Amino acid sequence: MPPQKPYAFVTYRSEDDARKAHTQLNGQKLQSGENSVTLYLSYVDSVLVRFPEELALVEDFVSPEEEILLLAAVDWSTSNQGNEAPQKALKHRRVKHYGFEFRYDNNNVDKDKPLPAGLPEECLPVLHRCLQDGHINVLPDQLTVNQYETGQGIPPHIDTHSAFEDTILSLSLGAKTVMEFRHPDGRVVPVVLPERSLLVMKGESRYLWTHGITPRKFDLVPACETQSADHSEPNLVSHGGLTLSKRGTRTSFTFRKIRHKPCCCAFPSACDSQGGSSPCPPSQPSLPSCHADATRLEEEYVHRVYDAIASHFSSTRHTPWPRVCHFLSALQPGSVLADVGCGNGKYLGVNPQLITVGCDRSSSLVQICAERGFNAFVSDALSVPLRTDSCDACISIAVIHHFSTQERRLAAVRELVRLLKPGGQALIYVWAYEQEYNKQKSKYLKDHNKPQNGEKSKDKPEEGQEPHEEPSVLTTSHLDNNYIGGLKDDSKMTESKLSVHTNRTAFNSQDLLVPWHLKGRKTRGEEEFSSGLHTTNCPDSKLSPSVDTSQVPGGSSVPVFHRYYHVFQQGELEQLCIEVTGVEVQTSYHDQGNWCVILQKE
């Protein structure tokens, strides 16, 4: 197959069907509007997914009988007394430690305090087999057992370099799941972990890639071709070669070897041993200078943050904005609407006469949509898996200002236009640099004396412009005037760190970080989530660069998650839309601290 070309993989029910499709479709021209494409078909034996370097998956590593013995070896009914293994009930799972206790307050182990009880004897035959098969060259001395109920997961993380040696073994028991591996350059590799399989992480996959499990109740996995006809599973729904698999209770056995010397791996950027031992503050990102920088900034300061704050964020997003509702109510009954960046789906049910579908980059927010009965899926706003010319209307509410370069913001508008049918309309809202317009202050400025998180207010706050309930804003240096035709020229921007701006005052910068303070006291589950988003080049900081802490009355600290924004100047959104061919700006307006446009596709 020619390199650097996009492919779609199709599975047929039989070889005969595949041959007929190849005969009738290969080389045929397909017409889509004014465009025509030639369809080429080629046979492949299997679809290969490129795993992270030095990651291995061994299916059926233990037998069903061994699985029963291992699960029975863990007594979840015992308390933390005597020689029993320490047990914790975390927000997203429950956990037991053997050999050494892993401490979530500092993401490390106390190497001088081994636990009285060693690893369960039932684990020894499995570990000796790992040794014989060459998966490890020394027996592990630490075991963490995690139990996940349906809908639970674990945040993306890298096992602390200074705490454990190279190879990490993870045994999946009880049920299958999907684990996501993420590279710093933005690559994501989902790996299906079947029941009784062994995952072996070494080298780059252990030291550089984060791994985590998204909390959800269903996973989309390849259909099992070897499943016998008389042993169907009622929790599987197959469609087109993929299977919607309902999660069950999964127990993972993670075996590690305690490290007693500093780590000297080949990945110093992610290594706490090689990053120095003195405390350091959360890193301050710079404005991106290239595509790779932009994707990294957005991954850390947009995508991860919304997954972490999804529940609290959703609780503050309940009132649809009136002018958005007016746009939706004016659409013809039966119109197809796509809400790109739908959040918790608050606009998907405004007009029940529409056929609505939403998408969002945050799987946690999409899960909330599903629980509310809305049709939504996980997708990047730059590449929405819907057909061209398929929607009567699209909305993008408080989304495009999260893209960190002008090119990416322009691509987001182009994608909305691609989805529209000729004559279809799109409504776009972005946060405005001008928070005072026509001598009227936005709610953001009016709430200058709003109480901070943790304080009581006599008046119930109303949901206003984006963002909502933030006590402070981090921004860059002063606004520059490097514009070409009304659009900012990123090539003339000097590298600038994102720094602090006084809360609820007029902006002096367009590129900024907006903190999200979780309400009330920090719970144990939030501590776990914060520790999962850690910065690996700062050993004394357990928080991600996008996570900080602040004090609330009484002295307690709460996590603060920083979100990237580009606030738009007057006329900038219109100029952005004009750059897209085949679309007309019908109207533009300022609505409570947002710049808004309605586009129509020609």
Side-chain angles (χ1 to χ4, degrees):
M1 294 185 291
Q4 307 301 322
K5 294 292 184 180
Y7 299 97
F9 293 93
V10 181
T11 301
Y12 292 90
R13 294 184 181 275
S14 67
E15 289 187 12
D16 185 54
D17 288 342
R19 290 193 186 95
K20 290 179 180 178
H22 188 274
T23 301
Q24 296 178 14
L25 298 178
N26 186 39
Q28 295 295 316
K29 285 189 176 181
L30 304 179
Q31 197 72 26
S32 177
E34 298 179 355
N35 301 319
S36 65
V37 296
T38 303
L39 181 66
Y40 295 101
L41 274 69
S42 179
Y43 291 117
V44 293
D45 293 328
S46 60
V47 179
L48 298 178
V49 178
R50 187 178 296 277
F51 273 21
E53 290 294 328
E54 299 182 86
L55 181 72
L57 179 66
V58 185
E59 296 190 23
D60 295 316
F61 188 76
V62 297
S63 66
E65 293 75 20
E66 288 177 309
E67 179 183 36
I68 294 172
L69 289 174
L70 290 167
L71 291 174
V74 182
D75 185 0
W76 295 105
S77 66
T78 58
S79 59
N80 298 334
Q81 295 178 358
N83 293 332
E84 295 295 339
Q87 178 174 321
K88 293 182 180 295
L90 302 177
K91 180 179 180 181
H92 299 280
R93 64 194 189 278
R94 58 177 179 173
V95 61
K96 265 183 178 284
H97 300 290
Y98 298 85
F100 293 83
E101 181 179 5
F102 184 81
R103 295 180 53 184
Y104 295 101
D105 58 347
N106 63 2
N107 280 331
N108 217 311
V109 294
D110 192 337
K111 301 170 185 178
D112 297 324
K113 294 184 178 180
L115 298 173
L119 275 59
E121 292 184 0
E122 291 83 352
C123 297
L124 296 181
V126 175
L127 294 177
H128 281 292
R129 192 155 70 247
C130 291
L131 198 63
Q132 293 169 2
D133 293 349
H135 299 307
I136 53 176
N137 52 26
V138 62
L139 286 174
D141 54 8
Q142 196 273 340
L143 166 64
T144 297
V145 180
N146 289 290
Q147 188 174 82
Y148 304 88
E149 299 292 342
T150 301
Q152 294 183 327
I154 185 171
H157 66 282
I158 298 174
D159 288 49
T160 309
H161 289 207
S162 63
F164 307 109
E165 294 284 358
D166 186 1
T167 305
I168 295 174
L169 306 173
S170 180
L171 192 63
S172 296
L173 304 175
K176 71 171 68 172
T177 194
V178 174
M179 179 174 285
E180 285 191 349
F181 285 80
R182 294 177 179 268
H183 191 275
D185 65 7
R187 282 178 288 162
V188 179
V189 178
V191 178
V192 180
L193 304 181
E195 184 180 355
R196 299 190 301 279
S197 66
L198 177 71
L199 186 70
V200 184
M201 291 180 279
K202 295 182 179 180
E204 182 177 311
S205 67
R206 178 264 186 269
Y207 286 127
L208 187 61
W209 292 66
T210 65
H211 59 279
I213 299 173
T214 302
R216 56 185 174 226
K217 297 181 179 180
F218 292 87
D219 287 313
L220 195 62
V221 301
C224 180
E225 297 179 359
T226 60
Q227 182 177 315
S228 61
D230 59 347
H231 186 64
S232 60
E233 299 180 43
N235 61 344
L236 298 182
V237 181
S238 180
H239 178 71
L242 294 176
T243 294
L244 191 62
S245 174
K246 184 178 180 180
R247 287 188 183 175
T249 299
R250 172 180 173 268
T251 303
S252 69
F253 281 52
T254 302
F255 299 97
R256 299 174 284 204
K257 176 66 177 175
I258 297 297
R259 183 188 294 277
H260 294 283
K261 295 181 179 180
C263 178
C264 55
C265 66
F267 309 95
S269 64
C271 181
D272 59 321
S273 290
Q274 301 179 59
S277 58
S278 59
C280 60
S283 61
Q284 292 178 305
S286 300
L287 292 173
S289 58
C290 62
H291 174 76
D293 288 346
T295 57
R296 280 193 291 267
L297 178 68
E298 292 162 18
E299 171 67 22
E300 180 66 44
Y301 290 90
V302 181
H303 305 159
R304 291 190 181 188
V305 172
Y306 277 104
D307 266 336
I309 68 172
S311 179
H312 181 207
F313 177 83
S314 177
S315 70
T316 69
R317 265 51 182 183
H318 46 76
T319 306
W321 297 343
R323 296 192 72 168
V324 179
C325 292
H326 177 76
F327 174 84
L328 298 176
S329 299
L331 297 174
Q332 292 295 317
S335 296
V336 176
L337 169 73
D339 185 348
V340 179
C342 62
N344 65 355
K346 72 176 182 180
Y347 292 112
L348 294 176
V350 166
N351 185 348
Q353 294 182 306
L354 304 179
I355 301 170
T356 60
V357 63
C359 65
D360 200 279
R361 185 60 176 73
S362 168
S363 57
S364 298
L365 287 172
V366 169
Q367 179 67 35
I368 292 174
C369 291
E371 291 170 356
R372 294 180 171 182
F374 297 128
N375 295 318
F377 56 88
V378 177
S379 171
D380 194 298
L382 299 183
S383 181
V384 181
L386 295 176
R387 290 198 305 269
T388 300
D389 302 339
S390 60
C391 299
D392 298 291
C394 295
I395 59 174
S396 171
I397 310 301
V399 175
I400 294 177
H401 53 217
H402 285 309
F403 289 104
S404 56
T405 66
Q406 191 260 337
E407 291 79 10
R408 292 171 67 78
R409 294 187 284 271
L410 181 60
V413 177
R414 284 199 177 107
E415 184 68 355
L416 289 173
V417 174
R418 181 189 69 81
L419 297 177
L420 290 174
K421 298 176 182 177
Q425 293 184 322
L427 173 65
I428 302 174
Y429 268 57
V430 294
W431 205 19
Y433 175 80
E434 296 84 2
Q435 288 297 302
E436 184 172 351
Y437 183 68
N438 285 343
K439 298 182 180 181
Q440 293 289 324
K441 290 185 178 181
S442 69
K443 189 176 186 299
Y444 180 75
L445 294 184
K446 289 178 181 178
D447 286 350
H448 177 70
N449 296 321
K450 187 175 183 176
Q452 302 295 307
N453 286 7
E455 298 178 13
K456 293 183 178 180
S457 173
K458 295 180 180 178
D459 300 317
K460 181 179 179 181
E462 298 177 359
E463 181 175 3
Q465 83 300 323
E466 178 74 25
H468 176 73
E469 288 191 333
E470 274 81 42
S472 61
V473 177
L474 303 180
T475 73
T476 63
S477 56
H478 292 288
L479 186 68
D480 61 46
N481 294 313
N482 295 326
Y483 277 81
I484 298 177
L487 289 179
K488 195 167 186 177
D489 182 4
D490 292 335
S491 66
K492 295 184 180 180
M493 289 165 47
T494 58
E495 184 173 319
S496 177
K497 296 288 186 180
L498 300 174
S499 56
V500 177
H501 171 76
T502 304
N503 175 45
R504 299 195 182 274
T505 62
F507 296 123
N508 62 0
S509 169
Q510 285 191 269
D511 295 280
L512 45 98
L513 294 175
V514 177
W516 181 275
H517 287 225
L518 289 175
K519 283 185 179 180
R521 295 180 178 272
K522 189 176 179 182
T523 67
R524 179 162 50 182
E526 288 158 358
E527 287 176 356
E528 178 201 354
F529 220 137
S530 298
S531 66
L533 294 168
H534 63 279
T535 174
T536 53
N537 60 358
C538 178
D540 293 292
S541 174
K542 70 178 180 178
L543 297 178
S544 160
S546 60
V547 187
D548 201 350
T549 59
S550 70
Q551 298 294 317
V552 297
S556 299
S557 63
V558 295
V560 182
F561 295 85
H562 298 138
R563 299 174 293 162
Y564 170 81
Y565 280 81
H566 171 85
V567 289
F568 280 64
Q569 284 191 321
Q570 183 174 7
E572 184 180 353
L573 181 57
E574 292 93 323
Q575 288 289 337
L576 190 72
C577 296
I578 290 172
E579 292 289 311
V580 181
T581 58
V583 68
E584 178 184 352
V585 178
Q586 285 198 319
T587 184
S588 62
Y589 56 93
H590 187 275
D591 183 18
Q592 275 300 307
N594 295 281
W595 286 116
C596 322
V597 298
I598 296 178
L599 308 177
Q600 185 168 40
K601 188 171 182 177
E602 295 175 355

